[in-house]
Amino acid sequence: MSTRIFLGIFLLFLFILVIFSIIISTLYGKRMEEMEINYHLEVTNGTKEQFNMLTSMIDAYSYSLVSNGAVQEALENGGAGQDVEQIRTYINDMVRMNDSINHVHILGINDFWCSTNMQDSRGFYRQYLKEYVEGTERKGIWTGFHSTEEDDYLSSTSYIRPVFNSETKEVYGIVVLDVSYESIHKLFTASSIRLKDKAVIVNSDGVILLQYPLLADYTEVLRNYPQVLKKSTQIEGKLYKKDVIIVSEKINLADWSLVRFVQKDAATESIREILKVFQIVLVITTIISICYTIWLTRSITLPIKELMQVCKKVMKGDFTVHAAVKRQDEFGRLGDTFNSMIDQINDSFDKERRSRNRKAEMEYQILQAQINPHFLYNTLDSMKWLAVMQGVDNIAEMSTALINLLQYNLGKVEGETTLHNEIESVRNYIIIQKYRYSDMFEFTTMIDEEAEKCRVPRFILQPLVENSIIHGFNGERGNYRVHIAAVIFDGKLHIRVIDNGMGMDADSTEKINKGQEKSTRFSKIGVSSIRERIKLYFGEEAELIFDSEPNVATIAEIILPIIKEES
C-alpha cells in the first residue's frame, strides 16, 4: 500500500516539473537570448556615443581657437604686435578645464609657436602644417597615438585643424589639441571589461589604435571583414574559430570605427546561468517532492502500524500501552478512542489493586495496634518519676523527651503534620542525642511564624539532623552546631538544616543531588526516602538539595509548595 501511494504521488510531481521545464526552455529561452544580445549592442552604441561626445567637444574647442580673432591675427603677422601671453593664458585655461586635453599648440607658417607645453615640440607638427599648405584639404584630422621627441609626457592622439582665409583658402597655421591616451582608453575599456567582450578602435586604413585585450591579434579578422572599416554595420563572423557578432560603429568627426566582437556564448551567458539556476531549482524541487511523498506515505501508513503494534501488546495482557497518534484527523480520533478504551480497562485493574492495597494497609494497622503503645508510655512515665524522686534529672529529661518522640512517631496514622510539630519532634530527639554525645554540639532554630503553619510530611527533618550528628561531627574539635531555618520565599517554603561539621567534597555533593547516594556520609541515611516522600506528597515541585564544603559547612535544603494548616 505504501509503495503504491509513493509511486503515484511522485510520478504526478515529476510530470508537472517536466512540463514546466519544457515550457520555460522553449518559450522563454530564445526570447531571453535575443534580449541579452540586444543588451550588448546597446552598450556598444552607448560607448560610441561617449566617443562622439568626446570628439565633438574637442572639435568645439578647436573651432573656438580657429575662429578667435587674436589667434588669426597672430598667425598672419607672426605674433608681431599681439599679446601672446593673452593667447597662452587662454589655451592654459582650456587645458585646466578639461582633463582629456594634455596640451594645446598653435603653429604658424612663419614659425609662430604658442603652446601649453614648456618644451618646444613644433618639429613633430610641421609635417601636418606642410600638408595643409600644399594641399587643398581644410578639414580637421586625427593623428594616431604618439609621443614627440621633445615631449614624453604621455602618449596622445592629436586633433589638428587649419587656420586659413575663408575667401582665398590660404593657410596661416594650425591649432593642435593633444587628447590624452588615458581618457580615450578609459572610455574604450569600461564597457569591454564589464561585458567581457573583445573590441578595437581602428581607422579607415585598418590601423588599430586601441584594442582589448592587449595581447589579442585582430589583424586577420579585420582583413577578412573589410566592410566594418567603412561604415556602421553588424555581421556574424568568426574570431579564433568561435562564432561572434561583429558590430562596427563609425565615430563622428574622426576617421575611426569602434569594432566590438561579441561572442555568442558570452552574450548568452546570462540565459545559461538562469537555465542552470532553474535546473538546480528543478533538482531541489524534485528532492523536496520525494521527501514530501515519503512523508505523506508514512503519515498514512505509520498510524496503522502503530495501532497494530498496540493491539498486539494488549492481546499479550499489557494494558499500560497507548497509541501515540497525535493528529487532528481520522487517525488521531481513532487513536484517542483506542486509548480511552485501554484507559477504562486499566482503571478497572487500578481499582482492584487499590482495593487490595487498602486491605493490606488495614491489616498492617491492626497488627501495629496489637503492640499496645500505652504500656510503653506508662512504663517510661514511671521511670521518669522514679528518676525525679531520686534526683536524677538527666534521666527524667531523657525519658520525657523519649515519651514525646514516641508519641509523635507512633501515636498518629496521618502522613502529614505542621512544620511546628516537626520541629518540636526534632527538639525531643536533640535532647536525647545531647546526653548521648556529652553535649558536644549546639542546636538552634530560626523559624518564620508563617512557615510554622505550613503542612509538611512527617519525619523529614530528624534523618537530616541525625546525619549531621552521626556523620558530620567526628569529635576531634568542639563548637559543633546544628541550625534549622525555615522561611517563605518566592511563593515556596524553604527549610534548611545546616551544620559546621566535616562536610563533603564537590563530587560527593553532586552524586547526592543526582540521587546516586554513593557518599560515605549518606550511606546509612534514607535521603532517597525523604526525596521520594516529598515528591509523593507535593509532586515534582518539591526538591531536596545539598550544598557542602569540606570542614566548613553542609546545607540540606528542602523546598516545598506552601500548604497551610486549615484553621
Side-chain angles (χ1 to χ4, degrees):
M1 177 180 177
S2 60
T3 304
R4 291 196 299 270
I5 294 174
F6 172 79
L7 289 176
I9 298 176
F10 175 71
L11 291 176
L12 177 61
F13 273 114
L14 186 62
F15 175 76
I16 294 174
L17 290 174
V18 169
I19 294 298
F20 184 70
S21 176
I22 293 174
I23 292 175
I24 290 294
S25 300
T26 56
L27 295 184
Y28 296 101
K30 188 63 177 178
R31 178 58 179 167
M32 295 184 68
E33 180 179 344
E34 293 176 356
M35 293 174 60
E36 188 70 18
I37 294 176
N38 290 335
Y39 172 70
H40 281 254
L41 299 180
E42 290 175 1
V43 172
T44 301
N45 291 332
T47 305
K48 182 198 72 171
E49 292 301 325
Q50 290 179 340
F51 271 101
N52 288 338
M53 291 176 60
L54 178 63
T55 56
S56 298
M57 178 190 67
I58 298 300
D59 183 72
Y61 277 125
S62 66
Y63 180 77
S64 67
L65 287 173
V66 170
S67 60
N68 187 283
V71 173
Q72 292 179 353
E73 187 174 350
L75 291 174
E76 290 178 11
N77 302 328
Q82 298 297 322
D83 189 355
V84 178
E85 288 302 322
Q86 180 181 358
I87 298 176
R88 182 172 287 109
T89 301
Y90 179 66
I91 60 178
N92 282 328
D93 292 341
M94 186 179 296
V95 172
R96 281 194 297 269
M97 291 172 59
N98 197 307
D99 294 335
S100 299
I101 301 176
N102 282 341
H103 294 295
V104 177
H105 315 289
I106 301 175
L107 176 62
I109 56 176
N110 48 17
D111 214 27
F112 170 78
W113 176 255
C114 183
S115 174
T116 59
N117 191 0
M118 299 300 295
Q119 297 180 353
D120 189 351
S121 57
R122 71 185 78 181
F124 177 79
Y125 302 105
R126 285 196 178 101
Q127 56 179 332
Y128 295 99
L129 177 59
K130 182 179 180 181
E131 291 177 2
Y132 276 118
V133 171
E134 295 178 354
T136 58
E137 186 63 49
R138 297 295 181 263
K139 295 181 180 180
I141 61 172
W142 286 85
T143 70
F145 287 99
H146 63 88
S147 58
T148 64
E149 296 179 358
E150 297 83 359
D151 182 12
D152 56 357
Y153 172 78
L154 274 178
S155 179
S156 305
T157 179
S158 299
Y159 183 66
I160 303 175
R161 190 164 185 166
V163 181
F164 58 93
N165 188 300
S166 59
E167 295 180 356
T168 63
K169 304 300 181 181
E170 180 184 0
V171 176
Y172 301 132
I174 58 174
V175 294
V176 182
L177 278 73
D178 291 338
V179 180
S180 67
Y181 172 86
E182 181 182 1
S183 61
I184 295 180
H185 185 267
K186 185 182 298 184
L187 288 179
F188 171 67
T189 58
S191 60
S192 297
I193 294 175
R194 177 158 54 93
L195 298 178
K196 301 179 182 179
D197 288 340
K198 297 177 175 60
V200 297
I201 291 181
V202 61
N203 61 19
S204 59
D205 297 328
V207 178
I208 297 176
L209 304 178
L210 288 171
Q211 68 178 50
Y212 179 85
L214 294 175
L215 299 180
D217 184 8
Y218 301 100
T219 305
E220 183 178 355
V221 68
L222 292 175
R223 185 168 56 249
N224 293 336
Y225 304 99
Q227 61 269 37
V228 301
L229 306 177
K230 299 178 181 179
K231 60 180 180 179
S232 297
T233 185
Q234 176 181 331
I235 60 175
E236 293 187 1
K238 287 187 176 295
L239 177 64
Y240 302 128
K241 297 181 181 181
K242 293 184 179 180
D243 293 332
V244 294
I245 301 173
I246 304 175
V247 181
S248 174
E249 294 289 347
K250 296 293 289 183
I251 298 176
N252 297 339
L253 303 178
D255 188 23
W256 296 350
S257 294
L258 171 62
V259 182
R260 187 182 299 277
F261 304 93
V262 182
Q263 293 186 12
K264 284 190 174 182
D265 56 350
T268 58
E269 182 178 358
S270 297
I271 181 60
R272 291 201 307 274
E273 290 179 354
I274 293 175
L275 292 177
K276 184 178 180 180
V277 171
F278 175 75
Q279 291 173 356
I280 295 174
V281 172
L282 181 63
V283 172
I284 294 175
T285 306
T286 303
I287 295 174
I288 294 175
S289 301
I290 294 174
C291 295
Y292 175 75
T293 304
I294 295 174
W295 173 83
L296 185 61
T297 303
R298 290 171 61 87
S299 67
I300 295 174
T301 58
L302 283 182
I304 299 176
K305 293 180 180 178
E306 176 71 19
L307 290 174
M308 291 176 61
Q309 294 294 330
V310 174
C311 288
K312 291 180 180 179
K313 293 181 180 179
V314 173
M315 289 174 63
K316 294 179 180 180
D318 185 0
F319 293 96
T320 61
V321 297
H322 282 78
V325 184
K326 304 298 182 181
R327 297 172 55 167
Q328 303 296 325
D329 54 12
E330 288 77 5
F331 288 110
R333 290 193 289 272
L334 178 61
D336 292 339
T337 303
F338 189 80
N339 291 335
S340 299
M341 180 184 67
I342 295 177
D343 289 338
Q344 291 177 3
I345 297 173
N346 203 26
D347 286 343
S348 299
F349 281 101
D350 286 341
K351 289 179 182 179
E352 180 66 22
R353 284 194 295 269
R354 286 195 297 270
S355 177
R356 289 198 301 266
N357 291 338
R358 283 197 298 269
K359 181 178 178 181
E361 184 178 354
M362 291 177 63
E363 291 175 353
Y364 172 75
Q365 290 178 0
I366 292 172
L367 180 62
Q368 187 182 33
Q370 291 176 354
I371 304 174
N372 191 351
H374 295 289
F375 175 76
L376 181 60
Y377 297 156
N378 293 334
T379 302
L380 290 173
D381 190 58
S382 298
M383 291 172 60
K384 179 189 72 172
W385 287 112
L386 181 61
V388 170
M389 287 186 295
Q390 294 182 0
V392 186
D393 296 334
N394 53 358
I395 296 178
E397 187 178 8
M398 287 182 63
S399 299
T400 303
L402 181 58
I403 291 172
N404 294 333
L405 189 62
L406 290 174
Q407 287 178 340
Y408 178 78
N409 292 337
L410 301 176
K412 296 182 180 180
V413 180
E414 296 86 355
E416 295 182 28
T417 184
T418 62
L419 179 61
H420 173 77
N421 293 336
E422 184 72 6
I423 295 294
E424 290 301 318
S425 174
V426 172
R427 292 185 193 276
N428 291 319
Y429 171 76
I430 289 294
I431 291 173
I432 298 173
Q433 293 299 324
K434 279 195 171 186
Y435 283 108
R436 178 182 176 183
Y437 290 96
S438 302
D439 203 14
M440 65 177 290
F441 64 91
E442 179 185 358
F443 175 72
T444 59
T445 61
M446 186 175 67
I447 311 300
D448 185 73
E449 183 178 354
E450 291 296 321
E452 288 185 342
K453 303 176 184 178
C454 294
R455 304 288 293 180
V456 298
R458 294 165 55 86
F459 204 66
I460 62 172
L461 296 183
Q462 181 179 325
L464 299 178
V465 174
E466 182 179 358
N467 175 76
S468 297
I469 296 173
I470 296 176
H471 300 284
F473 303 152
N474 56 14
E476 294 181 0
R477 62 182 178 87
N479 298 325
Y480 287 116
R481 183 180 180 187
V482 178
H483 179 72
I484 299 179
V487 67
I488 295 176
F489 173 73
D490 199 17
K492 290 187 179 181
L493 173 63
H494 294 256
I495 308 171
R496 289 187 174 183
V497 178
I498 307 169
D499 70 74
N500 61 346
M502 296 170 57
M504 299 178 293
D505 56 28
D507 184 58
S508 299
T509 304
E510 183 179 1
K511 289 180 179 179
I512 292 294
N513 287 326
K514 289 182 177 180
Q516 298 175 356
E517 302 183 37
K518 300 298 182 182
S519 171
T520 302
R521 174 169 179 174
F522 285 91
S523 59
K524 298 180 181 179
I525 304 300
V527 174
S528 61
S529 175
I530 298 175
R531 185 176 282 117
E532 290 174 2
R533 288 176 61 212
I534 62 176
K535 289 186 179 294
L536 179 64
Y537 277 96
F538 296 100
E540 294 300 323
E541 295 184 20
E543 297 181 72
L544 173 58
I545 303 172
F546 287 87
D547 187 15
S548 182
E549 184 175 349
N551 298 318
V552 177
T554 299
I555 301 175
E557 182 174 8
I558 300 176
I559 304 175
L560 303 175
I562 297 176
I563 302 177
K564 292 189 177 181
E565 182 180 23
E566 297 181 0
S567 58

